[in-house]
């Protein structure tokens, strides 16, 4: 998707954007620490067909919502969480001006409010549609699409999230992402056999949990920086963590320790993904270690989530962990290929709403 894009001669445009799962680094990107995530083979599909008026008629039958955007009115005041208008507003700075009406139907099979980023997939698909339909006066890359989606979903509305969701969906495959300045990422076009998502059916509280844990973790770091001006969280190791705890108030120490330990696990996992052949048992063990920190230090699991993880392990999985903000949502499991059905049945048997296999997805794309 290099260069300026416009397909104004096309009557119909179809965009597909995948969900994502976080393999390592939950509750890390808002601390400018790295994450490892991957796009998964569940999608939001946006189908747009030209109409004879100047309206963007948006139908989301899965959630029973419809709206129309009158392009004759220009950029109207953007309401809270209105990602559609936020993206239009942001892209105007890059020469993208909607001037043709479309009837748009948006559907998907990504579980909603389950930690698999259905909302971010929607925003990425919307950004792809706008650029594809109305052009853009800067070189367009998957990174540009991901950044515009991040700006529209998070920055524009003052939300607490990081860049993991939009970048893993926009760039696809497995991604190692450092969200500091400058942004750095590596993508790995690796097949991961035995990847399973288990959906608890308990809605997650994304904004509330993220804001609570982000604020406490960031406060622990800021407290240290009062005394050590050059402090860099990314350079703290498990071995020297004790030398910093004296600067952290006791009620914040658990959040600081969790950040350091999770960062260490993510760095170890990165070494595994850089190897020519994946050691699935090692990666599974690291996932389980990561889950333990999210459960015992950050307290973001609930009994059903822990039961799902335990059931997967008892059925022979290499590892499993909660995904995303937590206190609901889903888990990701790494299973031997020949035990997938048993693992899925075991997860469902303890009360999960659903469980299914997924493959690593190449990322958001416009259907040619």
């Amino acid at each position: 998707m290099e260069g300026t894009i416009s397909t104004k001669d096309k009557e119909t445009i179809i965009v597909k954007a995948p969900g994502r799962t976080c393999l390592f680094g939950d509750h890390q990107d808002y601390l400018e620490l790295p994450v490892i995530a991957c796009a998964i083979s569940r999608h939001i599909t946006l189908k747009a067909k030209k109409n004879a008026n100047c309206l963007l008629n948006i139908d989301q039958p899965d959630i029973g919502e419809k709206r129309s955007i009158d392009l004759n009115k220009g950029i109207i005041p953007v309401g809270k969480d209105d990602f559609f208008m936020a993206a239009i507003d942001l892209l105007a700075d890059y020469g993208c001006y909607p001037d043709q009406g479309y009837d748009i139907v948006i559907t998907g099979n990504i579980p909603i409010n389950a930690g698999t980023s259905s909302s971010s997939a929607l925003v990425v698909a919307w950004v792809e549609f706008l650029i594809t339909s109305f052009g853009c006066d800067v070189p367009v890359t998957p990174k540009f699409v991901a950044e515009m989606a991040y700006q529209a979903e998070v920055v524009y509305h003052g939300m607490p999230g990081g860049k993991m969701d939009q970048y893993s969906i926009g760039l696809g495959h497995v991604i190692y992402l450092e969200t500091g300045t400058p942004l750095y990422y590596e993508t790995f076009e690796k097949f991961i056999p035995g990847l399973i998502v288990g959906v608890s059916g308990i809605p997650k509280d994304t904004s509330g949990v993220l804001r609570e844990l982000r604020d406490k973790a960031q406060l622990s770091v800021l407290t240290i920086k009062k005394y050590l001006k050059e402090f860099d969280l990314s350079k703290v190791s498990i071995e020297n963590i004790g030398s910093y705890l004296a600067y952290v108030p006791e009620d914040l120490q658990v959040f600081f320790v969790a950040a350091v330990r999770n960062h260490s696990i993510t760095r170890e996992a990165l070494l595994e993904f850089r190897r020519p052949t994946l050691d699935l048992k090692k990666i599974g063990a690291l996932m389980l270690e990561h889950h333990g920190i999210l459960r015992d230090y950050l307290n973001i699991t609930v009994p059903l989530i822990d039961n799902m993880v335990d059931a997967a392990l008892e059925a022979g999985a290499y590892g499993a962990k909660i995904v995303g903000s937590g206190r609901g949502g889903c888990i990701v499991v790494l299973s031997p290929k020949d035990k997938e059905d048993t693992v899925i049945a075991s997860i469902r048997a303890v009360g999960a709403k659903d469980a299914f296999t997924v493959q690593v997805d190449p990322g958001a794309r416009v259907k040619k």
Side-chain angles (χ1 to χ4, degrees):
M1 216 174 59
E2 300 287 343
T4 301
I5 291 178
S6 180
T7 58
K8 295 192 176 188
D9 58 329
K10 291 190 68 173
E11 288 295 319
T12 302
I13 294 170
I14 300 175
V15 181
K16 295 190 74 172
R20 73 94 185 95
T21 192
C22 180
L23 301 174
F24 298 96
D26 303 81
H27 293 277
Q28 297 283 275
D29 57 347
Y30 53 69
L31 294 171
E32 296 192 348
L33 294 176
V35 299
I36 299 174
C38 71
I40 58 173
S41 54
R42 290 288 180 112
H43 300 90
I44 292 292
T45 300
L46 183 154
K47 295 182 179 180
K49 184 176 178 59
K50 283 185 179 179
N51 61 38
N53 51 48
C54 213
L55 296 175
L56 297 178
N57 298 313
I58 305 167
D59 183 9
Q60 300 180 78
D62 295 344
I63 58 175
E65 291 186 4
K66 293 183 179 182
R67 71 176 294 185
S68 289
I69 297 173
D70 188 345
L71 299 178
N72 291 316
K73 294 183 177 180
I75 303 298
I76 61 175
V78 181
K80 184 178 183 296
D81 298 341
D82 187 349
F83 310 126
F84 292 110
M85 284 304 305
I88 290 174
D89 191 9
L90 288 166
L91 285 169
D93 291 339
Y94 299 91
C96 181
Y97 303 108
D99 57 1
Q100 162 67 53
Y102 281 88
D103 295 323
I104 302 161
V105 179
I106 302 173
T107 57
N109 62 355
I110 304 172
I112 296 173
N113 200 21
T116 45
S117 289
S118 59
S119 60
S120 296
L122 171 61
V123 180
V124 171
W126 179 248
V127 170
E128 287 269 23
F129 159 71
L130 292 173
I131 294 172
T132 302
S133 302
F134 306 113
C136 190
D137 61 10
V138 298
V140 178
T141 64
K143 179 182 176 183
F144 176 77
V145 172
E147 181 62 28
M148 289 299 97
Y150 166 70
Q151 292 288 330
E153 186 176 6
V154 179
V155 177
Y156 197 100
H157 300 282
M159 300 295 283
K163 295 185 176 184
M164 171 179 63
D165 297 351
Q166 299 82 13
Y167 273 74
S168 55
I169 290 167
L171 274 67
H173 305 290
V174 179
I175 181 173
Y176 167 78
L177 177 66
E178 294 180 357
T179 58
T181 304
L183 182 104
Y184 170 81
Y185 62 86
E186 297 177 38
T187 56
F188 304 96
E189 296 186 18
K190 292 182 180 288
F191 171 66
I192 305 179
L195 204 58
I196 294 169
V197 171
V199 181
S200 70
I202 301 172
K204 60 187 180 62
D205 176 22
T206 299
S207 296
V209 175
L210 280 179
R211 188 171 283 109
E212 172 194 346
L213 297 182
R214 178 198 65 179
D215 291 351
K216 290 178 178 178
Q218 289 178 340
L219 183 58
S220 73
V221 173
L222 289 174
T223 303
I224 296 174
K225 285 187 174 182
K226 289 181 181 178
Y227 303 94
L228 306 173
K229 301 299 184 184
E230 303 301 318
F231 175 75
D232 184 346
L233 179 60
S234 68
K235 292 183 169 54
V236 180
S237 66
I238 292 175
E239 291 73 25
N240 66 6
I241 193 172
S243 61
Y244 297 100
L245 285 178
Y247 301 103
V248 182
E250 187 174 350
D251 62 324
L252 298 178
Q253 288 183 1
V254 67
F255 303 101
F256 177 72
V257 174
V260 174
R261 294 195 62 173
N262 282 332
H263 183 216
S264 175
I265 292 168
T266 302
R267 287 185 296 183
E268 191 172 354
L270 174 62
L271 297 178
E272 295 301 319
F273 278 98
R274 284 174 172 169
R275 300 184 194 280
T277 303
L278 294 178
D279 184 340
L280 298 179
K281 291 183 179 180
K282 179 65 177 296
I283 293 172
L286 289 170
M287 287 169 60
L288 187 59
E289 184 180 354
H290 189 13
H291 176 78
I293 305 240
L294 297 170
R295 178 193 63 214
D296 300 334
Y297 287 68
L298 298 184
N299 191 31
I300 67 167
T301 70
V302 294
L304 177 55
I305 290 285
D306 289 324
N307 290 341
M308 290 163 61
V309 169
D310 291 342
L313 297 174
E314 290 170 6
Y318 295 133
K321 60 175 284 293
I322 191 170
V323 173
S325 55
R327 296 181 190 160
C330 68
I331 66 171
V332 62
V333 180
L334 193 55
S335 164
K337 190 69 179 171
D338 61 353
K339 294 185 178 180
E340 286 178 340
D341 291 343
T342 302
V343 170
I344 287 173
S346 297
I347 294 171
R348 289 174 175 167
V350 296
K353 180 179 179 181
D354 198 7
F356 46 83
T357 59
V358 292
Q359 287 76 47
V360 176
D361 192 270
R365 54 205 179 273
V366 179
K367 186 174 180 180
K368 304 299 182 182

